[in-house]
Amino acid sequence: TDIDGIARLVMLEDHRDFDTTDLSHLLASQHPEVRRRAALAIGRIADKRGYALLRAKPLDADTAVAATEVFAAGQLKDSNIVAWFDSLLANRRLAPTVLAEAATALGKIKTARARDALARFLSSASESPRLDQAIGEALLSIGRCNTRGDLDPIVRFGKAKSDEVRWRAAWALFRPRDPAAVSVLMVMAAGDQSPDVRLWAVRALTKVQADSAGKTAEAEKILLAALRDSDRRVRTEAIRAIGTYSDSAAVAAMMAAKDSPDSWISVSAAEGLARLNPPPPTGGRQGGGGGRGRTPPPPVSRPLSDYKAIVERWVVPDYNGAPRPTARWETVRGSIEIELYPGDAPLAVDDFVKTMESGTIVGTAFTRVVPDFVAQEETIPGGHRLRDEVSRRGLTRANLAWATGGLDTGTPGYTLANAVQPHNEGDFTALGRVTKGMDVVDRIQLNDKITAARMLIVR
């Protein structure tokens, strides 16, 4: 019965069908996993009527279910729910995961009221094992908001003990492009011990931002020093930021960097030089492989029995702790091993495995490679439109997703993340993660191809 219920939920998600009777019934299931997946389905269907179903009873006693209920409400992106998330953040007795999801949800709504709620929480919260996760998510969320405001709730965490908290503070200061943040970010760029902090701080020191704060000379000096940073990502972001300057020191730095054997550095330098002397338009663009500018094929149509088979093949074993399906890609740079998330994205995993077994992925090229961001395949021939299955998994470095022009528009043409992508949270599916070969992912260059592919573990 539980499997039948989950199959029904996956079908509702796939059709984006808000069925009040089924969803209400399954939210009241005896099995916590069924309740969790019912809440998850409400978030994925993203019909604002779902909030009433989620709030028809108190938060679930099972913390995994409760956190998913809050996550689902956040996916509705309804500004009328800000007060509820605010009240959750004020209740420090709640589980850390529930607090973190409330903070994350406000960053999806992005309004001034959402920012105010986040600022209140950050102003009163202190570092602790219980609150650090929520603080980190609140920092990312306040950086996503569409309005600027007081920076003090963010700045106070710029000297946090945790590297994880500090880089999120740097991101939150960088993202709104507020001139008032430049001086703080200069200090972080020049002196923080964590490269994760330095890279986001360096990104903020573009000429436009430095000019707006009256700190052009000082910012450029920091960037030139960052070109010698011990961390490759910081050096990449430094040359990218230097590319927005046009004085002799910046041009000399870019000229030297364009001959670097490191493709991240040389490509970023070449792009900076091209901005100074842009080539004539050709009418073309680097291939994106993922759905923008074209009509995607229709999604797959299937009966309920197919959804039940998918649940039995992918969801049940994952819930019971079976080894996750794993794939290996061979490239000219080396091999990459990828673990999939069958419990979180069963439809996408099922499609991925079929694509792998068909062999159509072999020979596809990475037609979009952005240093310190993403390596993205071209569209794989014969692919179906993929339904997004957004989950509580963040878009971290090593994440496997697919190219898309918006929710439910993508087709197979997979992307590998070189860096975290907080700005995309809630809009992309985490399909899996690279477990071996991230050094290979970091070396991928434009038009490199997948030369062989096979499943290592599959059910």
Side-chain angles (χ1 to χ4, degrees), residues 45-389:
I45 296 167
D47 186 308
K48 291 185 179 181
R49 291 175 293 173
Y51 179 64
L53 295 185
L54 293 168
R55 296 287 286 124
K57 62 181 182 62
L59 284 176
D60 203 280
D62 185 301
T63 56
V65 180
T68 304
E69 289 172 342
V70 179
F71 164 82
Q75 285 298 110
L76 304 181
K77 301 177 183 178
D78 186 346
S79 60
N80 294 316
I81 313 178
V82 167
W84 184 55
F85 296 132
D86 192 6
S87 71
L88 295 177
L89 285 176
N91 185 356
R92 305 297 166 81
R93 296 187 302 275
L94 292 173
T97 52
V98 174
L99 292 172
E101 290 300 339
T104 302
L106 288 165
K108 297 171 184 174
I109 296 171
K110 302 181 181 181
T111 62
R113 286 185 64 211
R115 193 191 190 283
D116 289 344
L118 290 161
R120 277 192 293 275
F121 172 72
L122 289 169
S123 295
S124 62
S126 298
E127 280 188 277
S128 70
R130 182 170 181 77
L131 288 183
D132 277 359
Q133 184 181 0
I135 290 169
E137 294 303 326
L139 288 167
L140 296 183
S141 285
I142 203 169
R144 293 188 197 107
C145 289
N146 295 326
T147 58
R148 294 174 180 172
D150 183 11
L151 296 179
D152 286 347
I154 306 170
V155 172
R156 67 189 296 256
F157 291 103
K159 295 183 178 179
K161 294 178 182 178
S162 165
D163 290 356
E164 285 287 310
V165 172
R166 287 202 318 284
W167 83 249
R168 286 166 166 80
W171 191 88
L173 291 169
F174 145 76
R175 185 69 183 171
R177 276 71 170 178
D178 189 336
V182 171
S183 293
V184 178
L185 287 162
M186 286 170 57
V187 173
M188 299 172 94
D192 199 279
Q193 65 183 6
S194 169
D196 293 324
V197 175
R198 296 197 301 274
L199 74 89
W200 290 114
V202 161
R203 285 191 68 171
L205 304 185
T206 61
K207 188 174 188 301
V208 169
Q209 285 304 106
D211 285 351
S212 70
K215 299 286 184 180
T216 308
E218 299 97 318
E220 186 178 16
K221 183 178 179 181
I222 291 169
L223 291 176
L224 291 170
L227 295 176
R228 301 185 297 275
D229 196 277
S230 59
D231 191 274
R232 181 197 192 200
R233 298 168 300 159
V234 177
R235 296 194 301 273
T236 300
E237 297 302 339
I239 197 64
R240 185 174 281 156
I242 278 288
T244 64
Y245 293 71
S246 57
D247 60 278
S248 58
V251 172
M254 287 185 281
M255 290 295 292
K258 76 179 179 64
D259 296 322
S260 170
D262 185 331
S263 63
W264 282 14
I265 303 297
S266 61
V267 167
S268 299
E271 289 174 346
L273 290 168
R275 279 191 289 270
L276 295 178
N277 186 24
T282 62
R285 60 186 286 273
Q286 180 176 311
R292 292 188 186 274
R294 64 180 180 83
T295 302
V300 177
S301 178
R302 43 192 150 201
L304 181 59
S305 58
D306 282 7
Y307 293 103
K308 183 173 181 179
I310 287 171
V311 170
E312 289 176 329
R313 186 181 186 190
W314 303 118
V315 175
V316 175
D318 193 63
Y319 178 80
N320 289 326
R324 288 179 173 145
T326 303
R328 176 182 288 160
W329 293 350
E330 300 293 343
T331 75
V332 293
R333 310 290 166 186
S335 62
I336 302 165
E337 290 190 12
I338 302 166
E339 176 188 75
L340 304 177
Y341 299 142
D344 295 293
L347 297 174
V349 166
D350 194 66
D351 195 87
F352 179 93
V353 172
K354 288 176 180 176
T355 299
M356 288 285 292
E357 291 175 341
S358 73
T360 54
I361 196 170
V362 176
T364 56
F366 289 92
T367 52
R368 181 176 180 236
V369 178
V370 182
D372 196 31
F373 180 58
V374 72
Q376 179 176 309
E377 275 185 287
E378 64 185 316
T379 301
I380 298 169
H384 302 286
R385 191 197 307 181
L386 298 173
R387 285 297 198 192
D388 275 289
E389 295 169 281

Side-chain angles (χ1 to χ4, degrees), residues 438-455:
M438 262 313 294
D439 60 321
V440 176
V441 176
D442 289 341
R443 293 197 303 272
I444 287 174
Q445 296 187 24
L446 190 65
N447 294 321
D448 282 351
K449 292 184 177 181
I450 294 176
T451 57
R454 66 186 179 95
M455 297 300 302

